[in-house]
Structures are given as C-alpha cells and as structure tokens.
Amino acid sequence: MATSHFSTQSNPLKVPNLIGGKFIESKSLTFIDVINPATQEVLSQVPLTTNEEFKAAVAAAKKAFPSWRNTPITKRQRVMLKFQELIRRDMDKLALNVTTEQGKTLKDAQGDVFRGLEVVEHACGMATLQMGEYVSNVSHGIDTFSIREPLGVCAGICPFNFPAMIPLWMFPVAVTCGNTFILKPSEKDPGASMLLSQLAMEAGLPEGVLNIVHGAHDTVNAICDHDDIKAISFVGSNVAGMHIYARAAAKGKRVQSNMGAKNHAVVMPDASVDATINALIAAGFGAAGQRCMALSTVVFVGGSKPWESILVERAKALKVNAGTEADADLGPVISIQAKERIHRLIQSGFESGARLLLDGRSIVPGYESGNFIGPTILADVRSDMECYKEEIFGPVLLLTEADSLEEAISFVNENKYGNGATIFTRSGVAARKFQTEIEAGQVGINVPIPVPLPFFSFTGNKASFAGDLNFYGKAGVNFYTQIKTITQNWKDSDSDDKINMAMPTS
Ligand code: NAD
C-alpha cells in the first residue's frame, strides 16, 4: 500500500518504508515490536524490510540524485530553512514520540529534538560550508581551484538512544550537500525518523532524496554491500560499528562510525562542591545514563569520601518515573534485556568488592512492568572489574580514587574508549595539563561532557570512533563530498609552441 502520508490505519501501526517519496507498507513476513519501555505496550511494528524493497529504495535514491545534485544550493538550503521551521512547529509531537518509544523524559526529549534541529539550522548555510578554494596563476596563465561535489547515494544507520538527534546529524547534512539518502532508524524507536521524513518532504525535499528502510543485521549488511551506496554514517555500539566499518570499507565505501564510550570526570580537591556534584548527577543519571556522553566514572583526586554523602543525597532525591510524568527526572532504560544487563553489572561490581552506596534496583509504583532503574552509585571501583570494563549504558555512576592528577590522567588514558573526559577544578594549571594530556576526543573543563555544537564536529577518539571525518561541522561536509581539483589554462597568446617532455614546473 503506497501513501504520501504516514498512515495510522493498522493496529498496532505497521511502520512503513519510505521509497521514492511514498510511505509503503512492507511485504515482509517478519516484524519487530516497538515497545513503550515504561509500560511494555506494543506501540507499532517495524518490518525487516525485504531485499526487493531495499533495492527499490536504493534505486529511488539513485534516480533522484542527478536532478537533486543539479538543484541550486540556495534552493537546497531553503528546503532546510523550511524544515527547521516545521521541526519547531511539531516539536511537542516529536518529543512525545521520542518519550513514548525511547523512554526519556519529555523535557529531555525536547533536547534530543533541539540538538538535531541545530544541525538542520547549520545546514541552512551549506553554500558557505561547501565552498571550494581558488589559487590564481599557479603557473603562467594557469589557475587551480577545488570544488566539493556530492557523492551520490549515502546511508545512515542509527542507534536507539537519540531517535531524533542522530538521524538529524546525518541526512540534513548529506542532502543539503546534494546527496540522496537511505536512512535505517533503530528498530527499537523508528517513530521520530518517520515523523522527520514527513516534515522533510513537507518542506519540499523531492521524492527519492530521502528514503527509509528498516530492520537489523540483514538490512545493515545490505547497506554495506550495495555498490550504489557510496558512504555510510553509523552511530551505535562497537560490535556493530566495527563490523560495518570493515564490511563497507571492503566495498570501497567511506564510513564514519561513532561508537561506545566510558566517559570519565576527574574531580580535583579544589573543585566547587555544589557545581561539581550537580554536574556529576545530571551527566551520570540524565536520560537514565543512556547517552554516549553520559558520565559513567568519577576519579576523585585525593579520595572520594568527602564527596560521597552529598552525592548520594542528591542522587536519591531524583524522581524515577515514566517520561511522560511531569515530575520525572529519569525514565526507564530501553528494554527488559538492557535492564537485566545493567542489574547484572551492578551485582558483579558489588560482588567483586565495590561499595554499593546507592542501589537503584527497584520498581516504580504505577509502572511495575517498566524497565526502571534508579540512580546507582558504586565506590572503590577498580579497572579490572567488569562494571568498569564494559559500557553500562544505564544510570550507574562508578567512583574511584587517584593520589594525583598524573595518576588520574593515566587511569583515564588506559581505558580503550576516548569519547569524552572532563575535569572539575579551580586551577588553570591543572585544567591545562588535563586538556593537553588526556586522550579523549571531547574535553570538558568545569562542564559535564559537552556535545559540540554543529559549527564544530563530534570528535570521539580511540575505540569511540572509526574513520577520519567526524559527524557534522566542516568534517561532516567533507565526509559527504568528494573534492575535485581543476587546473585551467587560459592565455591570451598561443605561446606553447614547443612540446615539453619534462615534468611540468612553474
Ligand atoms: P547498536 O549497535 O545495538 O545498534 C545500532 C544500529 O546498528 C541499529 O540500527 C541496529 O539495527 C544495528 N546493529 C546492531 N547490531 C548489529 C550487528 N551486529 N550488525 C549489523 N547491524 C547491527 O547500538 P544501540 O544499542 O542502538 O545504541 C547504543 C550504543 O550506541 C552505545 O554503545 C552508545 O555509546 C553508542 N552511541 C554512540 C554515540 C556516539 O556518538 N559515539 C552516540 C549515541 C550512541
């Protein structure tokens, strides 16, 4: 069934593919339930897009490319200008969808949409971002210039934790550069991508420029293998990210792969108590710890004891509830399996000698079947503990200690991940040493781990990133464009009357 709008006829709603500007119900025999993590209600069903449907989506994107790449950049920007206006108009609807499918609080869901909206706003200035370079007279009468051209069909594979922001890191930049796009949302919460695609088309994105397919491993492998797809943006776990990076590279594609994290805060004894504790609580437990920039480990230089009671007291005061409830500070984690995994890691930390200062393993009255875990704090954590080695991706803060800033920096640098790290201190000397020596790609000084705004790029390091052109900002534009260098010779006299067999020099 093909419709120009996202139909809500079936119950539960069957999430359609978007192929060539039409929302088309999949012929797949296999669907995955999209579940409200606060209630276990089945909200919709997402198909494992069939291979024929996948190929049709790529063919639609390929067909749309020649005309879209030749559409004036000013016109492509204007589509984004309208798109950002429509996202603002539908902010509440988008945020409610994010909360219902992903679980985060409504306020946090608005932030999810807003941080993606900022990338759309940035894409409105693509003409300037995509500008080439020109050097006149590189030799007598010869000029050289470079231009950045779109690649063709690009694809994006998304994680569950930012259902609006992460698709918006990808397709607005790609399409405004002149590419066409295949988006594969997370099978756990595809709703925001579907709503955003409707808005993009309402804003004037021509049919076939943005297509959406669904599924898991098979769809992802099909994206890696298809010869007509030139570039893949991936955000998610290391297992998937490194698999995609290797498989797509073997097919000659460029890949940017943002992956897992274990973000550390180093707290110096001179740090401001209130501001530091509040930052640790917000970044440790916000979004139930399911942010790639969540703070999961705190290294207290000089010992954690003076900080523990106030940390526990403020963490305890947070309200765990369904994200739609007005008083919720943190909502549920994404699935029953995630909840069980997090419980197991808390237990293993405790059994291997960590002190359980706060245990969030409890139920929320009124939402007994929800995947809730309250703020949990484990102290005296060592680097050989499973809870430290694994990315927990839940509301669990690990505390450890170091005798000096040098020791704290070594501890952080020994971790394989390098997404973000932050220091809390009043000393400029300590902050500067940290900023210089820390191996994380995104560094905070007296701020919890910052996600850079779109005029910079998201710059994970070490095992947190594979590729060399990061998401959004200048690097994002470079990722979605191929550089072409042109050398031209326009002389007013015909003076090259001899053959010169030597390597040309000026
Ligand atoms: P995930 O890797 O399970 O899923 C991400 C995507 O990959 C989904 O679309 C899924 O269908 C697909 N996928 C999963 N396993 C696959 C496999 N083996 N082969 C092929 N495709 C596969 O990740 P998630 O649980 O949705 O998201 C959480 C992870 O994402 C965390 O590790 C988090 O740190 C990371 N993350 C990183 C960033 C960042 O910018 N660095 C941002 C957000 C999330």
Side-chain angles (χ1 to χ4, degrees):
M1 183 184 61
T3 57
S4 57
H5 287 285
F6 184 359
S7 138
T8 50
Q9 306 284 307
S10 52
N11 190 15
L13 163 75
K14 287 209 162 38
V15 182
N17 295 311
L18 171 59
I19 302 174
K22 300 271 183 292
F23 290 103
I24 303 173
E25 195 169 303
S26 174
K27 294 202 165 56
S28 178
L29 299 178
T30 319
F31 285 78
I32 300 170
D33 288 342
V34 176
I35 293 168
N36 181 334
T39 61
Q40 310 302 342
E41 179 198 356
V42 176
L43 300 164
S44 61
Q45 291 182 313
V46 68
L48 301 188
T49 294
T50 68
N51 200 28
E52 283 66 38
E53 291 161 354
F54 169 72
K55 286 198 269 186
V58 180
K62 191 177 179 186
K63 185 165 168 232
F65 178 60
S67 132
W68 181 241
R69 74 167 285 173
N70 287 322
T71 301
I73 179 84
T74 44
K75 213 166 162 188
R76 297 202 301 256
Q77 288 183 148
R78 249 171 246 130
V79 173
M80 284 301 121
L81 212 50
K82 184 70 188 172
F83 185 36
Q84 65 80 31
E85 183 193 323
L86 298 178
I87 293 173
R88 284 173 197 281
R89 183 196 70 190
D90 285 3
M91 175 66 85
D92 290 344
K93 185 174 166 190
L94 283 157
L96 181 60
N97 182 283
V98 168
T99 296
T100 315
E101 292 190 1
Q102 199 275 351
K104 63 181 71 177
T105 66
L106 277 172
K107 200 161 175 220
D108 198 28
Q110 298 244 355
D112 185 331
V113 180
F114 193 84
R115 293 305 294 265
L117 170 66
E118 289 177 317
V119 179
V120 181
E121 289 172 343
H122 196 235
C124 294
M126 189 56 76
T128 315
L129 296 169
Q130 207 175 338
M131 265 182 189
E133 294 175 325
Y134 194 107
V135 176
S136 166
N137 222 30
V138 292
S139 187
H140 298 292
I142 295 181
D143 312 315
T144 298
F145 60 98
S146 64
I147 54 175
R148 304 209 72 99
E149 296 187 316
L151 304 172
V153 182
C154 301
I157 300 164
C158 304
F160 78 83
N161 66 328
F162 282 100
M165 179 182 80
I166 288 177
L168 291 173
W169 281 2
M170 300 176 176
F171 76 83
V173 183
V175 303
T176 319
C177 286
N179 300 288
T180 55
F181 209 79
I182 306 288
L183 184 71
K184 197 212 76 74
S186 168
E187 64 278 20
K188 299 192 173 81
D189 46 22
S193 287
M194 301 312 295
L195 293 172
L196 288 167
S197 68
Q198 267 187 302
L199 297 183
M201 290 196 300
E202 188 182 339
L205 206 63
E207 62 183 40
V209 173
L210 173 64
N211 304 273
I212 300 186
V213 295
H214 300 285
H217 301 36
D218 289 348
T219 309
V220 168
N221 287 339
I223 290 173
C224 294
D225 293 347
H226 200 298
D227 287 329
D228 288 334
I229 295 177
K230 305 297 177 199
I232 300 177
S233 299
F234 170 80
V235 180
S237 65
N238 282 62
V239 173
M242 288 316 294
H243 165 74
I244 291 164
Y245 188 71
R247 188 158 175 154
K251 279 285 195 173
K253 299 185 201 317
R254 56 175 76 176
V255 180
Q256 51 177 196
S257 181
N258 266 13
M259 298 176 285
K262 197 84 183 175
N263 303 309
H264 296 73
V266 170
V267 177
M268 299 299 286
D270 67 351
S272 148
V273 175
D274 267 337
T276 303
I277 295 279
N278 288 345
L280 298 180
I281 298 269
F285 304 124
Q290 297 175 113
R291 293 182 186 139
C292 57
M293 293 299 265
L295 250 185
S296 54
T297 308
V298 189
V299 187
F300 288 99
V301 173
S304 63
K305 294 269 168 17
W307 300 85
E308 287 176 5
S309 59
I310 177 161
L311 195 56
V312 170
E313 183 194 316
R314 288 195 197 167
K316 243 187 198 166
L318 296 177
K319 180 81 181 167
V320 186
N321 209 342
T324 44
E325 300 288 347
D327 64 352
D329 290 309
L330 57 152
V333 296
I334 189 69
S335 63
I336 293 173
Q337 294 80 352
K339 178 177 169 171
E340 286 170 357
R341 216 186 109 261
I342 297 163
H343 276 197
R344 179 178 59 71
L345 287 167
I346 296 169
Q347 190 60 25
S348 88
F350 175 65
E351 284 169 9
S352 47
R355 278 184 295 129
L356 189 53
L357 299 183
L358 183 62
D359 188 353
R361 292 173 291 180
S362 59
I363 53 165
V364 169
Y367 291 94
E368 285 76 6
S369 57
N371 313 321
F372 292 97
I373 306 178
T376 297
I377 303 177
L378 283 161
D380 298 342
V381 169
R382 297 186 315 270
S383 59
D384 62 346
M385 291 179 181
E386 204 189 349
C387 63
Y388 179 75
K389 288 194 285 188
E390 270 199 44
E391 180 184 28
I392 300 180
F393 225 53
V396 183
L397 199 55
L398 309 180
L399 314 185
T400 188
E401 301 181 343
D403 288 337
S404 63
L405 177 57
E406 285 76 13
E407 195 184 312
I409 291 173
S410 305
F411 182 87
V412 178
N413 285 348
E414 274 162 29
N415 195 282
K416 69 175 178 174
Y417 294 111
N419 222 28
T422 191
I423 185 166
F424 291 93
T425 181
R426 286 194 171 95
S427 158
V429 175
R432 193 164 185 285
K433 180 180 171 66
F434 182 82
Q435 168 207 309
T436 308
E437 294 180 15
I438 208 75
E439 289 170 1
Q442 292 161 115
V443 177
I445 296 172
N446 293 325
V447 289
I449 315 281
V451 173
L453 286 164
F455 23 90
F456 294 96
S457 297
F458 192 99
T459 52
N461 192 5
K462 299 191 341 191
S464 298
F465 179 67
D468 56 4
L469 291 170
N470 300 92
F471 277 82
Y472 60 79
K474 284 188 196 127
V477 175
N478 291 351
F479 179 78
Y480 287 124
T481 52
Q482 171 68 44
I483 196 158
K484 183 183 269 177
T485 310
I486 297 129
T487 299
Q488 61 179 6
N489 181 351
W490 295 112
K491 289 186 185 146
D492 55 7
S493 68
D494 195 9
S495 58
D496 289 346
D497 52 1
K498 285 199 293 269
I499 297 175
N500 183 356
M501 298 299 287
M503 182 73 182
T505 60
S506 50

